[in-house]
Short mmCIF file of all heavy atoms in Angstrom, two decimals:
data_model
loop_
_atom_site.label_atom_id
_atom_site.label_comp_id
_atom_site.label_asym_id
_atom_site.label_seq_id
_atom_site.Cartn_x
_atom_site.Cartn_y
_atom_site.Cartn_z
N MET H 284 0.85 -1.19 0.00
CA MET H 284 0.00 0.00 0.00
C MET H 284 0.88 1.24 0.00
O MET H 284 1.86 1.32 0.74
CB MET H 284 -0.88 -0.02 1.26
CG MET H 284 -1.79 1.19 1.40
SD MET H 284 -2.73 1.09 2.96
CE MET H 284 -3.84 2.48 2.72
N LYS H 285 0.51 2.17 -0.89
CA LYS H 285 1.22 3.45 -0.94
C LYS H 285 0.19 4.56 -0.88
O LYS H 285 -0.91 4.42 -1.41
CB LYS H 285 2.01 3.59 -2.24
CG LYS H 285 3.12 2.56 -2.37
CD LYS H 285 3.92 2.80 -3.63
CE LYS H 285 4.99 1.72 -3.74
NZ LYS H 285 6.22 2.19 -4.35
N VAL H 286 0.55 5.66 -0.24
CA VAL H 286 -0.37 6.79 -0.18
C VAL H 286 0.37 8.07 -0.50
O VAL H 286 1.60 8.13 -0.44
CB VAL H 286 -1.04 6.92 1.22
CG1 VAL H 286 -1.79 5.67 1.59
CG2 VAL H 286 -0.03 7.29 2.28
N LYS H 287 -0.39 9.08 -0.86
CA LYS H 287 0.23 10.39 -1.06
C LYS H 287 -0.69 11.46 -0.49
O LYS H 287 -1.91 11.27 -0.38
CB LYS H 287 0.50 10.65 -2.54
CG LYS H 287 -0.74 10.80 -3.37
CD LYS H 287 -0.41 11.24 -4.79
CE LYS H 287 -1.70 11.41 -5.58
NZ LYS H 287 -1.50 11.79 -6.95
N VAL H 288 -0.07 12.57 -0.12
CA VAL H 288 -0.82 13.72 0.40
C VAL H 288 -0.83 14.79 -0.68
O VAL H 288 0.20 15.13 -1.25
CB VAL H 288 -0.15 14.27 1.68
CG1 VAL H 288 -0.88 15.52 2.15
CG2 VAL H 288 -0.11 13.22 2.78
N SER H 289 -2.02 15.30 -0.95
CA SER H 289 -2.14 16.37 -1.93
C SER H 289 -1.85 17.72 -1.27
O SER H 289 -2.53 18.13 -0.33
CB SER H 289 -3.56 16.38 -2.50
OG SER H 289 -3.82 17.61 -3.13
N ASP H 290 -0.82 18.40 -1.75
CA ASP H 290 -0.46 19.72 -1.23
C ASP H 290 -1.60 20.71 -1.39
O ASP H 290 -1.76 21.64 -0.61
CB ASP H 290 0.75 20.28 -1.99
CG ASP H 290 2.05 19.71 -1.44
OD1 ASP H 290 1.97 18.87 -0.53
OD2 ASP H 290 3.11 20.10 -1.93
N ASP H 291 -2.38 20.51 -2.43
CA ASP H 291 -3.48 21.46 -2.71
C ASP H 291 -4.57 21.37 -1.66
O ASP H 291 -5.27 22.34 -1.41
CB ASP H 291 -4.12 21.15 -4.07
CG ASP H 291 -3.15 21.43 -5.20
OD1 ASP H 291 -2.16 22.16 -4.95
OD2 ASP H 291 -3.37 20.93 -6.30
N ARG H 292 -4.71 20.20 -1.07
CA ARG H 292 -5.83 20.01 -0.15
C ARG H 292 -5.42 20.02 1.31
O ARG H 292 -6.23 20.32 2.18
CB ARG H 292 -6.54 18.69 -0.46
CG ARG H 292 -7.37 18.77 -1.71
CD ARG H 292 -8.26 17.55 -1.84
NE ARG H 292 -8.13 16.99 -3.16
CZ ARG H 292 -8.32 15.72 -3.46
NH1 ARG H 292 -8.63 14.86 -2.52
NH2 ARG H 292 -8.20 15.31 -4.68
N CYS H 293 -4.19 19.65 1.64
CA CYS H 293 -3.76 19.58 3.04
C CYS H 293 -3.79 20.97 3.66
O CYS H 293 -3.33 21.94 3.07
CB CYS H 293 -2.34 19.01 3.13
SG CYS H 293 -1.71 18.96 4.82
N ILE H 294 -4.36 21.04 4.87
CA ILE H 294 -4.41 22.31 5.60
C ILE H 294 -3.49 22.28 6.82
O ILE H 294 -3.53 23.18 7.66
CB ILE H 294 -5.85 22.65 6.04
CG1 ILE H 294 -6.45 21.51 6.87
CG2 ILE H 294 -6.74 22.96 4.82
CD1 ILE H 294 -7.78 21.85 7.54
N GLY H 295 -2.68 21.21 6.92
CA GLY H 295 -1.69 21.14 8.00
C GLY H 295 -2.29 20.95 9.38
O GLY H 295 -1.70 21.39 10.37
N CYS H 296 -3.44 20.31 9.46
CA CYS H 296 -4.11 20.14 10.76
C CYS H 296 -3.34 19.21 11.69
O CYS H 296 -3.50 19.27 12.90
CB CYS H 296 -5.54 19.64 10.57
SG CYS H 296 -5.64 17.88 10.15
N GLY H 297 -2.53 18.34 11.12
CA GLY H 297 -1.70 17.45 11.94
C GLY H 297 -2.35 16.15 12.36
O GLY H 297 -1.73 15.35 13.06
N ASN H 298 -3.57 15.95 11.95
CA ASN H 298 -4.29 14.74 12.37
C ASN H 298 -3.54 13.47 11.96
O ASN H 298 -3.35 12.55 12.77
CB ASN H 298 -5.69 14.76 11.75
CG ASN H 298 -6.64 13.84 12.47
OD1 ASN H 298 -6.57 13.71 13.68
ND2 ASN H 298 -7.51 13.21 11.73
N CYS H 299 -3.10 13.42 10.72
CA CYS H 299 -2.43 12.21 10.22
C CYS H 299 -1.07 12.03 10.88
O CYS H 299 -0.63 10.90 11.11
CB CYS H 299 -2.29 12.27 8.70
SG CYS H 299 -1.35 13.68 8.10
N VAL H 300 -0.41 13.13 11.19
CA VAL H 300 0.89 13.05 11.85
C VAL H 300 0.73 12.47 13.25
O VAL H 300 1.45 11.54 13.65
CB VAL H 300 1.55 14.45 11.93
CG1 VAL H 300 2.89 14.38 12.66
CG2 VAL H 300 1.72 15.05 10.54
N ALA H 301 -0.28 12.97 13.97
CA ALA H 301 -0.54 12.48 15.33
C ALA H 301 -1.00 11.03 15.30
O ALA H 301 -0.52 10.20 16.08
CB ALA H 301 -1.59 13.37 16.00
N LEU H 302 -1.91 10.74 14.38
CA LEU H 302 -2.47 9.40 14.30
C LEU H 302 -1.38 8.35 14.04
O LEU H 302 -1.40 7.25 14.59
CB LEU H 302 -3.51 9.38 13.18
CG LEU H 302 -4.57 8.31 13.18
CD1 LEU H 302 -5.47 8.44 14.41
CD2 LEU H 302 -5.41 8.41 11.92
N SER H 303 -0.42 8.69 13.21
CA SER H 303 0.63 7.74 12.86
C SER H 303 1.86 7.90 13.75
O SER H 303 2.88 7.25 13.52
CB SER H 303 1.03 7.92 11.39
OG SER H 303 1.75 9.11 11.21
N GLU H 304 1.74 8.77 14.75
CA GLU H 304 2.88 9.04 15.65
C GLU H 304 4.14 9.33 14.84
O GLU H 304 5.23 8.87 15.18
CB GLU H 304 3.08 7.87 16.62
CG GLU H 304 1.86 7.65 17.50
CD GLU H 304 1.96 6.44 18.40
OE1 GLU H 304 2.77 5.54 18.11
OE2 GLU H 304 1.21 6.39 19.39
N SER H 305 3.96 10.07 13.77
CA SER H 305 5.04 10.51 12.88
C SER H 305 5.78 9.35 12.21
O SER H 305 6.88 9.53 11.69
CB SER H 305 6.05 11.41 13.61
OG SER H 305 5.41 12.56 14.10
N GLN H 306 5.17 8.17 12.22
CA GLN H 306 5.83 7.03 11.56
C GLN H 306 5.49 6.96 10.08
O GLN H 306 6.23 6.34 9.29
CB GLN H 306 5.42 5.72 12.23
CG GLN H 306 5.94 5.58 13.64
CD GLN H 306 5.55 4.23 14.22
OE1 GLN H 306 6.29 3.26 14.09
NE2 GLN H 306 4.39 4.18 14.84
N LEU H 307 4.33 7.53 9.70
CA LEU H 307 3.93 7.49 8.29
C LEU H 307 3.85 8.88 7.68
O LEU H 307 4.14 9.07 6.51
CB LEU H 307 2.55 6.83 8.15
CG LEU H 307 2.42 5.40 8.64
CD1 LEU H 307 0.99 4.92 8.44
CD2 LEU H 307 3.40 4.49 7.94
N PHE H 308 3.43 9.83 8.49
CA PHE H 308 3.25 11.20 8.00
C PHE H 308 4.02 12.16 8.90
O PHE H 308 4.09 11.97 10.10
CB PHE H 308 1.76 11.60 8.02
CG PHE H 308 0.90 10.70 7.20
CD1 PHE H 308 0.22 9.65 7.80
CD2 PHE H 308 0.77 10.88 5.83
CE1 PHE H 308 -0.59 8.80 7.05
CE2 PHE H 308 -0.03 10.04 5.07
CZ PHE H 308 -0.71 8.99 5.68
N ASP H 309 4.59 13.18 8.27
CA ASP H 309 5.24 14.24 9.05
C ASP H 309 5.11 15.52 8.27
O ASP H 309 4.76 15.52 7.08
CB ASP H 309 6.70 13.90 9.31
CG ASP H 309 7.19 14.54 10.62
OD1 ASP H 309 6.48 15.41 11.17
OD2 ASP H 309 8.29 14.16 11.08
N PHE H 310 5.40 16.63 8.93
CA PHE H 310 5.28 17.93 8.26
C PHE H 310 6.50 18.21 7.40
O PHE H 310 7.63 17.89 7.79
CB PHE H 310 5.13 19.04 9.29
CG PHE H 310 3.83 19.00 10.05
CD1 PHE H 310 3.81 18.74 11.41
CD2 PHE H 310 2.63 19.20 9.40
CE1 PHE H 310 2.61 18.69 12.11
CE2 PHE H 310 1.43 19.16 10.07
CZ PHE H 310 1.41 18.90 11.44
N ASN H 311 6.27 18.81 6.26
CA ASN H 311 7.40 19.27 5.46
C ASN H 311 7.70 20.73 5.81
O ASN H 311 7.08 21.30 6.73
CB ASN H 311 7.11 19.08 3.95
CG ASN H 311 5.90 19.88 3.48
OD1 ASN H 311 5.55 20.89 4.09
ND2 ASN H 311 5.28 19.44 2.41
N ASP H 312 8.63 21.33 5.10
CA ASP H 312 9.06 22.69 5.43
C ASP H 312 7.94 23.71 5.26
O ASP H 312 8.00 24.81 5.82
CB ASP H 312 10.26 23.10 4.57
CG ASP H 312 11.51 22.30 4.96
OD1 ASP H 312 11.52 21.73 6.06
OD2 ASP H 312 12.45 22.25 4.16
N SER H 313 6.93 23.35 4.50
CA SER H 313 5.81 24.26 4.28
C SER H 313 4.72 24.10 5.34
O SER H 313 3.70 24.77 5.28
CB SER H 313 5.18 24.02 2.90
OG SER H 313 6.16 24.10 1.89
N GLY H 314 4.96 23.20 6.30
CA GLY H 314 3.96 22.99 7.34
C GLY H 314 2.80 22.11 6.90
O GLY H 314 1.77 22.05 7.56
N LEU H 315 2.99 21.45 5.78
CA LEU H 315 1.97 20.54 5.28
C LEU H 315 2.45 19.11 5.50
O LEU H 315 3.65 18.86 5.62
CB LEU H 315 1.70 20.78 3.79
CG LEU H 315 1.23 22.20 3.44
CD1 LEU H 315 1.09 22.36 1.93
CD2 LEU H 315 -0.09 22.53 4.13
N ALA H 316 1.50 18.21 5.55
CA ALA H 316 1.87 16.82 5.81
C ALA H 316 2.36 16.15 4.54
O ALA H 316 1.95 16.49 3.43
CB ALA H 316 0.68 16.06 6.38
N GLU H 317 3.25 15.19 4.72
CA GLU H 317 3.63 14.33 3.61
C GLU H 317 3.86 12.93 4.14
O GLU H 317 4.15 12.74 5.31
CB GLU H 317 4.88 14.86 2.89
CG GLU H 317 6.11 14.92 3.75
CD GLU H 317 7.30 15.53 3.02
OE1 GLU H 317 7.10 16.27 2.06
OE2 GLU H 317 8.43 15.25 3.44
N CYS H 318 3.71 11.97 3.24
CA CYS H 318 3.96 10.59 3.63
C CYS H 318 5.47 10.39 3.59
O CYS H 318 6.12 10.69 2.59
CB CYS H 318 3.26 9.63 2.67
SG CYS H 318 3.48 7.92 3.16
N ILE H 319 6.04 9.89 4.68
CA ILE H 319 7.50 9.81 4.79
C ILE H 319 8.03 8.41 4.51
O ILE H 319 9.22 8.17 4.65
CB ILE H 319 7.98 10.28 6.18
CG1 ILE H 319 7.29 9.50 7.31
CG2 ILE H 319 7.71 11.78 6.34
CD1 ILE H 319 7.87 9.79 8.68
N VAL H 320 7.16 7.50 4.12
CA VAL H 320 7.62 6.17 3.74
C VAL H 320 7.17 5.88 2.31
O VAL H 320 6.15 6.40 1.86
CB VAL H 320 7.09 5.06 4.68
CG1 VAL H 320 7.62 5.25 6.09
CG2 VAL H 320 5.57 5.03 4.69
N ASP H 321 7.95 5.10 1.62
CA ASP H 321 7.59 4.76 0.24
C ASP H 321 6.39 3.82 0.23
O ASP H 321 5.40 4.04 -0.44
CB ASP H 321 8.79 4.13 -0.48
CG ASP H 321 8.46 3.80 -1.92
OD1 ASP H 321 7.91 4.68 -2.62
OD2 ASP H 321 8.71 2.66 -2.33
N THR H 322 6.51 2.76 1.00
CA THR H 322 5.44 1.77 1.11
C THR H 322 5.03 1.66 2.56
O THR H 322 5.88 1.59 3.45
CB THR H 322 5.93 0.40 0.61
OG1 THR H 322 6.37 0.53 -0.74
CG2 THR H 322 4.82 -0.64 0.68
N ILE H 323 3.72 1.67 2.80
CA ILE H 323 3.23 1.56 4.17
C ILE H 323 3.51 0.14 4.68
O ILE H 323 3.10 -0.83 4.06
CB ILE H 323 1.70 1.79 4.22
CG1 ILE H 323 1.31 3.11 3.55
CG2 ILE H 323 1.17 1.70 5.65
CD1 ILE H 323 1.69 4.35 4.29
N PRO H 324 4.24 0.02 5.81
CA PRO H 324 4.46 -1.32 6.36
C PRO H 324 3.12 -1.98 6.68
O PRO H 324 2.17 -1.30 7.08
CB PRO H 324 5.24 -1.04 7.66
CG PRO H 324 5.78 0.34 7.51
CD PRO H 324 4.83 1.08 6.63
N SER H 325 3.03 -3.28 6.47
CA SER H 325 1.74 -3.96 6.59
C SER H 325 1.11 -3.77 7.97
O SER H 325 -0.11 -3.67 8.08
CB SER H 325 1.88 -5.45 6.26
OG SER H 325 2.87 -6.02 7.07
N ASP H 326 1.92 -3.68 9.01
CA ASP H 326 1.34 -3.53 10.34
C ASP H 326 0.82 -2.12 10.60
O ASP H 326 0.20 -1.86 11.63
CB ASP H 326 2.35 -3.94 11.42
CG ASP H 326 3.62 -3.10 11.39
OD1 ASP H 326 3.99 -2.64 10.30
OD2 ASP H 326 4.23 -2.92 12.45
N LEU H 327 1.08 -1.21 9.68
CA LEU H 327 0.57 0.17 9.84
C LEU H 327 -0.47 0.53 8.79
O LEU H 327 -0.90 1.68 8.71
CB LEU H 327 1.75 1.17 9.78
CG LEU H 327 2.73 1.10 10.96
CD1 LEU H 327 3.88 2.09 10.76
CD2 LEU H 327 2.02 1.42 12.28
N GLU H 328 -0.90 -0.46 8.02
CA GLU H 328 -1.90 -0.17 6.97
C GLU H 328 -3.21 0.33 7.55
O GLU H 328 -3.86 1.20 6.99
CB GLU H 328 -2.13 -1.40 6.08
CG GLU H 328 -0.98 -1.61 5.12
CD GLU H 328 -1.29 -2.66 4.06
OE1 GLU H 328 -2.36 -3.29 4.12
OE2 GLU H 328 -0.44 -2.84 3.18
N GLU H 329 -3.61 -0.24 8.70
CA GLU H 329 -4.85 0.21 9.33
C GLU H 329 -4.74 1.66 9.75
O GLU H 329 -5.70 2.43 9.66
CB GLU H 329 -5.22 -0.67 10.53
CG GLU H 329 -5.75 -2.04 10.14
CD GLU H 329 -6.95 -1.98 9.20
OE1 GLU H 329 -7.86 -1.16 9.47
OE2 GLU H 329 -6.96 -2.70 8.20
N VAL H 330 -3.56 2.03 10.24
CA VAL H 330 -3.33 3.42 10.64
C VAL H 330 -3.44 4.33 9.42
O VAL H 330 -4.07 5.40 9.46
CB VAL H 330 -1.93 3.59 11.30
CG1 VAL H 330 -1.63 5.05 11.59
CG2 VAL H 330 -1.86 2.77 12.59
N ALA H 331 -2.86 3.89 8.31
CA ALA H 331 -2.92 4.69 7.09
C ALA H 331 -4.37 4.84 6.62
O ALA H 331 -4.79 5.92 6.19
CB ALA H 331 -2.07 4.04 6.00
N LYS H 332 -5.13 3.76 6.71
CA LYS H 332 -6.54 3.82 6.29
C LYS H 332 -7.33 4.76 7.19
O LYS H 332 -8.18 5.53 6.72
CB LYS H 332 -7.16 2.42 6.30
CG LYS H 332 -6.65 1.57 5.14
CD LYS H 332 -7.16 0.14 5.23
CE LYS H 332 -6.50 -0.71 4.15
NZ LYS H 332 -6.77 -2.14 4.35
N ASP H 333 -7.05 4.71 8.49
CA ASP H 333 -7.71 5.63 9.42
C ASP H 333 -7.36 7.07 9.07
O ASP H 333 -8.21 7.96 9.10
CB ASP H 333 -7.28 5.35 10.86
CG ASP H 333 -7.93 4.10 11.43
OD1 ASP H 333 -8.89 3.59 10.80
OD2 ASP H 333 -7.49 3.64 12.50
N ALA H 334 -6.09 7.30 8.74
CA ALA H 334 -5.66 8.66 8.38
C ALA H 334 -6.39 9.14 7.14
O ALA H 334 -6.82 10.30 7.07
CB ALA H 334 -4.14 8.69 8.17
N ILE H 335 -6.55 8.26 6.16
CA ILE H 335 -7.28 8.63 4.95
C ILE H 335 -8.72 9.01 5.30
O ILE H 335 -9.23 10.04 4.87
CB ILE H 335 -7.27 7.46 3.93
CG1 ILE H 335 -5.87 7.26 3.38
CG2 ILE H 335 -8.27 7.72 2.80
CD1 ILE H 335 -5.69 6.01 2.53
N GLU H 336 -9.35 8.17 6.12
CA GLU H 336 -10.76 8.41 6.47
C GLU H 336 -10.93 9.67 7.31
O GLU H 336 -11.94 10.36 7.20
CB GLU H 336 -11.31 7.21 7.26
CG GLU H 336 -11.66 6.03 6.38
CD GLU H 336 -12.09 4.82 7.20
OE1 GLU H 336 -12.42 5.00 8.39
OE2 GLU H 336 -12.08 3.72 6.64
N GLN H 337 -9.95 9.95 8.16
CA GLN H 337 -10.13 11.03 9.12
C GLN H 337 -9.53 12.37 8.67
O GLN H 337 -9.67 13.37 9.36
CB GLN H 337 -9.53 10.64 10.47
CG GLN H 337 -10.30 9.48 11.10
CD GLN H 337 -9.70 9.04 12.42
OE1 GLN H 337 -9.12 9.82 13.16
NE2 GLN H 337 -9.83 7.76 12.73
N CYS H 338 -8.89 12.39 7.53
CA CYS H 338 -8.37 13.68 7.04
C CYS H 338 -9.57 14.58 6.72
O CYS H 338 -10.42 14.20 5.92
CB CYS H 338 -7.52 13.47 5.80
SG CYS H 338 -7.03 15.05 5.06
N PRO H 339 -9.63 15.76 7.34
CA PRO H 339 -10.81 16.62 7.16
C PRO H 339 -10.99 17.15 5.74
O PRO H 339 -12.09 17.56 5.37
CB PRO H 339 -10.57 17.77 8.15
CG PRO H 339 -9.10 17.79 8.36
CD PRO H 339 -8.65 16.36 8.24
N THR H 340 -9.94 17.15 4.96
CA THR H 340 -10.07 17.70 3.61
C THR H 340 -9.90 16.64 2.52
O THR H 340 -9.83 16.98 1.33
CB THR H 340 -9.00 18.80 3.38
OG1 THR H 340 -7.70 18.21 3.52
CG2 THR H 340 -9.15 19.94 4.37
N GLY H 341 -9.78 15.39 2.92
CA GLY H 341 -9.63 14.34 1.92
C GLY H 341 -8.32 14.45 1.14
O GLY H 341 -8.25 14.10 -0.04
N ALA H 342 -7.28 14.93 1.83
CA ALA H 342 -6.01 15.18 1.14
C ALA H 342 -5.15 13.93 0.94
O ALA H 342 -4.23 13.94 0.13
CB ALA H 342 -5.20 16.22 1.92
N ILE H 343 -5.47 12.88 1.68
CA ILE H 343 -4.64 11.67 1.59
C ILE H 343 -5.36 10.65 0.71
O ILE H 343 -6.54 10.38 0.91
CB ILE H 343 -4.41 11.04 2.98
CG1 ILE H 343 -3.94 12.11 3.97
CG2 ILE H 343 -3.38 9.91 2.88
CD1 ILE H 343 -3.91 11.62 5.41
N GLU H 344 -4.64 10.12 -0.23
CA GLU H 344 -5.27 9.08 -1.04
C GLU H 344 -4.30 7.94 -1.29
O GLU H 344 -3.09 8.12 -1.31
CB GLU H 344 -5.82 9.63 -2.35
CG GLU H 344 -4.82 10.33 -3.21
CD GLU H 344 -5.50 11.04 -4.38
OE1 GLU H 344 -6.71 10.84 -4.61
OE2 GLU H 344 -4.81 11.80 -5.06
N GLU H 345 -4.90 6.78 -1.46
CA GLU H 345 -4.09 5.60 -1.75
C GLU H 345 -3.68 5.66 -3.21
O GLU H 345 -4.47 6.02 -4.08
CB GLU H 345 -4.91 4.34 -1.46
CG GLU H 345 -4.09 3.08 -1.63
CD GLU H 345 -4.81 1.83 -1.12
OE1 GLU H 345 -5.91 1.95 -0.56
OE2 GLU H 345 -4.25 0.75 -1.31
N ILE H 346 -2.44 5.32 -3.46
CA ILE H 346 -1.95 5.26 -4.83
C ILE H 346 -2.16 3.83 -5.32
O ILE H 346 -1.69 2.88 -4.69
CB ILE H 346 -0.45 5.60 -4.90
CG1 ILE H 346 -0.19 6.99 -4.34
CG2 ILE H 346 0.04 5.49 -6.34
CD1 ILE H 346 1.30 7.29 -4.15
N THR H 347 -2.89 3.72 -6.39
CA THR H 347 -3.15 2.40 -6.93
C THR H 347 -2.10 2.11 -8.00
O THR H 347 -1.95 2.88 -8.94
CB THR H 347 -4.54 2.34 -7.56
OG1 THR H 347 -5.44 3.05 -6.73
CG2 THR H 347 -5.02 0.92 -7.68
N GLU H 348 -1.38 1.01 -7.80
CA GLU H 348 -0.33 0.68 -8.76
C GLU H 348 -0.91 -0.14 -9.90
O GLU H 348 -1.71 -1.03 -9.67
CB GLU H 348 0.78 -0.07 -8.05
CG GLU H 348 1.54 0.83 -7.10
CD GLU H 348 2.62 0.07 -6.34
OE1 GLU H 348 2.28 -0.75 -5.49
OE2 GLU H 348 3.80 0.31 -6.63
N GLU H 349 -0.48 0.20 -11.07
CA GLU H 349 -0.99 -0.51 -12.27
C GLU H 349 -0.30 -1.86 -12.38
O GLU H 349 0.85 -1.98 -12.10
CB GLU H 349 -0.66 0.31 -13.52
CG GLU H 349 -1.24 1.71 -13.49
CD GLU H 349 -2.73 1.71 -13.79
OE1 GLU H 349 -3.12 1.03 -14.74
OE2 GLU H 349 -3.49 2.38 -13.08
S1 LIG N 604 -4.99 15.03 8.20
FE1 LIG N 604 -5.14 15.81 6.11
S2 LIG N 604 -5.27 18.05 6.29
FE2 LIG N 604 -4.52 17.24 8.24
S3 LIG N 604 -2.28 17.34 8.08
FE3 LIG N 604 -2.91 15.28 7.42
S4 LIG N 604 -3.14 15.42 5.18
FE4 LIG N 604 -3.11 17.51 6.00
#
């Protein structure tokens, strides 16, 4: 599973950073969240899904690989 954060939609609320305890998401220099791992470790996939569901602006989405 891979995810990405859309810069256009992220408002820097920090929800995903807190939820993942900075293991999956962290703030970049612009104060916006970004995914800091290439592939979500399997034991953290539920956390990533929760982050997707709970992002207030829908900024996080799963990347579907072809
Ligand atoms: S939860 Fe959404 S809006 Fe909030 S910091 Fe994460 S990506 Fe940005």
Side-chain angles (χ1 to χ4, degrees):
M284 179 183 188
K285 296 183 182 214
V286 302
K287 67 172 181 182
V288 176
S289 163
D290 278 3
D291 293 342
R292 285 191 229 152
C293 178
I294 56 171
C296 76
N298 200 36
C299 59
V300 178
L302 201 64
S303 71
E304 299 175 340
S305 300
Q306 292 183 90
L307 301 179
F308 302 96
D309 208 347
F310 292 114
N311 61 25
D312 291 342
S313 306
L315 301 176
E317 62 184 22
C318 183
I319 55 172
V320 297
D321 181 49
T322 302
I323 306 289
S325 55
D326 60 330
L327 292 177
E328 284 190 356
E329 286 305 314
V330 174
K332 287 175 186 169
D333 285 347
I335 291 171
E336 282 175 17
Q337 294 178 31
C338 173
T340 61
I343 311 170
E344 57 189 351
E345 185 170 356
I346 302 170
T347 319
E348 291 177 290
E349 302 283 315

